[in-house]
């Protein structure tokens, strides 16, 4: 068979890590080049997390899991060819006597049958909630006999302290999987884990083998040192200017009228210009541009003004134009804000507060990344120097304050700026809405969807990486539906940008 060259998209792997979404690769016959491709993806994944020390151990485990899944699929087609019932114990034992020899002698025939039957092998990788999950799925359920054998081997593995002991023991070679499981357990021990971190279970349609690894990224002293630097930096971040905090105080006063807020904004030329710019942005999609402050204030209301103040204050406090990366982050933020607002308006219209908060939450969801990658390079340099002194990898450092932790860092800054709880929650949990407090969980899920849709439009993630429960919020069950919705949102955003630019030219 001719080898197939498969390129690894490192940017997709990095995006998946930063967004806490799964990576998946599926094959039907698991040729050798596909096996190498999967292990190479695991290598890049671990390198991005600064976990290269796990590579050799997990590569062995992955290879063993893949081949066990391939063997399980092949058993199904072999038993069917032999007219044997794989769920019957006598048939099972009879079939296993000849399975290995006959399939090895005619392997391509049985692999062809596997593919024709639609039996797949799927590797999945995910870093979420400070854990790495490496799993292999195949779409047949294991029998009770197979499950019993696996559990027996796991119990046996506890007895061995070394590979020599395992090899010296008499192991069942009829299926060839017994020794492999024992070696996997020994490999996990090398990582400070035990057999409890290795699971084999069935879902309705699949058998899943999974290794769960707590992410011990840094020594405690290193974490404390870097965290302290970040906290010190947050304390030194400039507060909102008085003109904005004054309006926020007005809004907090229940006796304040919209006319009072409008008058206060009108007396500040810069703030008035910022307000009109925001109201006339693509996110609101006004058909006729708003020219007066009272009209703008009336249009978006008290809650809208509050959210705009936080938006304007945050953006003014962050110098996005410092470099290209900052400008790209701001463009992404604007698109997510537009997408989130329109998704919420169309699919959560019954929740007025959610719709009103969706724009500002979309705009500020990546605030942690924005702050530490673009606005405060001196802080990044200082923390980088600590990493060099302590021998911490750059991948780990970047992941700490720009990857999966940027939500926490952004939330800390939002707390420092006295943001409302809803905005803080979304910033903190926008990659993991299931972990958010129930009150803000739905809003957080809409922001996650808007964020992922923008990444999807840029070919940075794939359809399978969307969680079905989240897609249900926007009534999407298939990729064609998602493509249509994503294209519609993107086209609407570009249309609004063009229309607003044209209006400004006319004025």
């Amino acid at each position: 068979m001719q080898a197939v060259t498969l390129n690894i998209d490192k940017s997709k792997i990095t995006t998946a890590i930063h967004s806490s979404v799964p990576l998946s690769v599926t094959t039907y016959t698991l040729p050798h080049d596909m096996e190498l491709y999967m292990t190479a993806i695991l290598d890049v994944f671990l390198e991005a997390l600064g976990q290269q020390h796990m590579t050799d151990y997990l590569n062995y485990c992955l290879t063993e899991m893949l081949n066990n899944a391939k063997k399980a699929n092949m058993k199904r087609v072999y038993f069917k060819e032999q007219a044997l019932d794989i769920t019957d114990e006598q048939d099972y034992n009879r079939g296993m006597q000849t399975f290995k020899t006959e399939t090895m002698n005619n392997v391509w025939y049985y692999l062809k049958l596997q593919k024709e039957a639609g039996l797949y092998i799927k590797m999945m990788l995910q870093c979420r909630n400070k854990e790495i999950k490496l799993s292999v799925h195949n779409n047949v359920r294991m029998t009770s006999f197979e499950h019993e054998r696996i559990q027996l081997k796991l119990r046996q593995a506890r007895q061995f302290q070394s590979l020599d002991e395992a090899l010296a023991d008499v192991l069942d070679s009829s299926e060839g999987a017994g020794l492999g499981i024992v070696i996997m357990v020994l490999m996990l021990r090398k990582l400070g884990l035990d057999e409890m971190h290795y699971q084999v279970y069935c879902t309705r349609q699949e058998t899943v083998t999974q290794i769960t690894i707590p992410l011990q990224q840094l020594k405690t002293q290193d974490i404390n040192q870097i965290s302290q630097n970040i906290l010190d930096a947050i304390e030194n971040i400039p507060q909102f200017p008085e003109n904005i905090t004054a309006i926020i105080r007005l809004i907090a006063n229940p006796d304040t009228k919209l006319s009072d807020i409008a008058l206060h904004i009108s007396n500040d030329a810069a703030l008035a210009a910022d307000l009109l710019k925001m109201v006339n942005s693509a996110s609101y999609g006004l058909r006729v541009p708003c020219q007066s402050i009272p009209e703008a204030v009336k249009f978006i209301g008290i809650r809208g003004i509050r959210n705009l103040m936080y938006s304007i204050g945050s953006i003014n406090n962050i110098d996005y134009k410092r470099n290209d990366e900052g400008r790209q982050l701001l463009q992404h933020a604007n698109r997510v804000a537009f997408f989130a607002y329109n998704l919420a308006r169309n699919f959560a219209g019954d929740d007025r507060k959610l719709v009103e908060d969706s724009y500002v939450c979309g705009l500020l969801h990546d605030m942690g990344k924005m702050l530490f990658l673009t606005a405060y390079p001196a802080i990044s340099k200082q923390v980088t120097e600590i990493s060099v002194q302590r021998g911490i990898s750059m991948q780990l450092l970047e992941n700490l304050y720009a990857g999966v932790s940027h939500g926490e860092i952004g939330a800390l800054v939002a707390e420092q700026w006295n943001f409302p709880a809803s905005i803080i929650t979304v910033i903190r949990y926008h990659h993991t809405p299931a972990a958010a407090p129930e009150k803000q969980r739905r809003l957080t899920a809409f922001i996650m969807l808007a964020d992922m849709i923008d990444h999807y439009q840029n070919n940075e993630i794939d359809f399978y990486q969307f969680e079905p429960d989240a897609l249900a919020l926007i009534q999407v069950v298939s990729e064609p539906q998602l493509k249509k919705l994503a294209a519609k949102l993107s086209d609407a955003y570009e249309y609004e940008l063009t229309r607003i630019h044209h209006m400004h030219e006319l004025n």
Side-chain angles (χ1 to χ4, degrees), residues 2 121 129 132 170 173 196 214 293 313 318-319 344 349 365 380 407 423 461 477:
Q2 186 177 359
I121 303 155
N129 297 331
I132 295 173
V170 179
S173 61
M196 300 303 294
I293 298 302
I318 301 173
D319 184 7
H365 74 286
S380 297
I423 301 177
I461 61 173
V477 296

Side-chain angles (χ1 to χ4, degrees), residues 430-495:
H430 67 274
H431 289 311
T432 55
E438 186 175 357
K439 189 175 181 180
Q440 286 95 24
R441 197 169 297 161
R442 192 180 182 207
L443 170 62
T444 309
F446 272 99
I447 304 307
M448 178 189 73
L449 283 166
D451 181 33
M452 291 184 70
I453 287 173
D454 191 43
H455 288 306
Y456 178 76
Q457 279 293 91
N458 293 327
N459 296 314
E460 295 168 343
I461 61 173
D462 298 309
F463 174 71
Y464 75 85
Q465 294 172 294
F466 286 79
E467 295 181 2
D469 289 346
L471 288 176
L473 290 174
I474 55 175
Q475 300 173 20
V476 169
V477 296
S478 67
E479 184 164 16
Q481 287 179 309
L482 180 65
K483 279 185 177 180
K484 183 177 179 180
L485 177 60
K488 188 175 181 180
L489 286 169
S490 187
D491 289 346
Y493 179 78
E494 295 301 325
Y495 170 78

Side-chain angles (χ1 to χ4, degrees), residues 402-444:
V404 294
S405 296
H406 71 268
E408 181 62 31
I409 293 168
L412 290 173
V413 176
E415 288 171 350
Q416 179 79 1
W417 286 344
N418 297 313
F419 278 21
S422 59
I423 301 177
I424 295 171
T425 296
V426 168
I427 293 172
R428 177 172 278 128
Y429 297 108
H430 67 274
H431 289 311
T432 55
E438 186 175 357
K439 189 175 181 180
Q440 286 95 24
R441 197 169 297 161
R442 192 180 182 207
L443 170 62
T444 309

Side-chain angles (χ1 to χ4, degrees), residues 50-63:
Q51 303 291 335
Q52 297 95 318
H53 66 284
M54 297 184 184
T55 301
D56 291 341
Y57 302 111
L58 291 184
N59 271 340
Y60 173 84
C61 294
L62 174 59
T63 299

Side-chain angles (χ1 to χ4, degrees), residues 83-254:
L84 294 172
D85 181 2
I86 198 169
T87 63
D88 179 83
E89 188 169 9
Q90 289 186 345
D91 277 5
Y92 184 84
N93 291 331
R94 188 181 306 121
M96 290 311 302
Q97 291 176 6
T98 55
F99 166 71
K100 186 175 182 179
T101 301
E102 293 197 17
T103 54
M104 286 296 292
N105 290 336
N106 202 1
V107 64
W108 294 113
Y109 172 71
Y110 287 103
L111 287 175
K112 177 173 173 288
L113 291 182
Q114 280 182 220
K115 187 171 183 179
E116 289 174 351
L119 301 184
Y120 60 74
I121 303 155
K122 177 169 60 179
M123 176 194 77
M124 296 195 74
L125 273 169
Q126 187 171 19
C127 180
R128 188 172 189 176
N129 297 331
K130 299 180 181 179
E131 287 184 336
I132 295 173
K133 287 188 177 179
L134 167 63
S135 59
V136 172
H137 306 236
N138 60 299
N139 55 335
V140 294
R141 289 171 56 87
M142 61 182 162
T143 66
S144 59
F145 323 120
E146 291 168 314
H147 186 261
E148 288 172 6
R149 288 171 184 269
I150 290 171
Q151 296 307 312
L152 173 63
K153 297 309 172 188
L154 287 174
R155 289 193 295 271
Q156 282 184 310
R158 296 172 192 157
Q159 304 170 12
F160 304 124
Q161 298 302 315
S162 69
L163 182 58
D164 289 342
E165 285 185 37
L167 291 172
D169 198 74
V170 179
L171 295 172
D172 177 10
S173 61
S174 65
E175 299 184 51
L179 183 59
I181 290 176
V182 172
I183 295 175
M184 274 200 286
V185 171
L186 293 173
M187 292 284 188
L188 293 178
R189 284 186 193 164
K190 292 287 188 181
L191 298 175
L193 308 174
D194 56 32
E195 68 274 9
M196 300 303 294
H197 291 87
Y198 173 77
Q199 290 180 297
V200 182
Y201 61 92
C202 288
T203 65
R204 182 174 296 180
Q205 296 179 330
E206 294 183 327
T207 295
V208 181
T209 56
Q210 179 173 282
I211 296 174
T212 303
I213 306 159
L215 195 58
Q216 302 297 330
Q217 292 185 327
L218 303 171
K219 297 176 182 177
T220 302
Q221 60 181 358
D222 295 329
I223 294 175
N224 291 341
Q225 181 64 59
I226 292 178
S227 298
Q228 189 58 53
N229 275 70
I230 292 173
L231 290 173
D232 291 344
I234 288 172
E235 290 179 1
N236 294 323
I237 287 176
Q239 295 293 321
F240 275 20
E242 176 57 28
N243 61 341
I244 290 179
T245 55
I247 294 173
I248 292 173
R249 286 195 297 270
L250 273 177
I251 292 171
N253 185 344

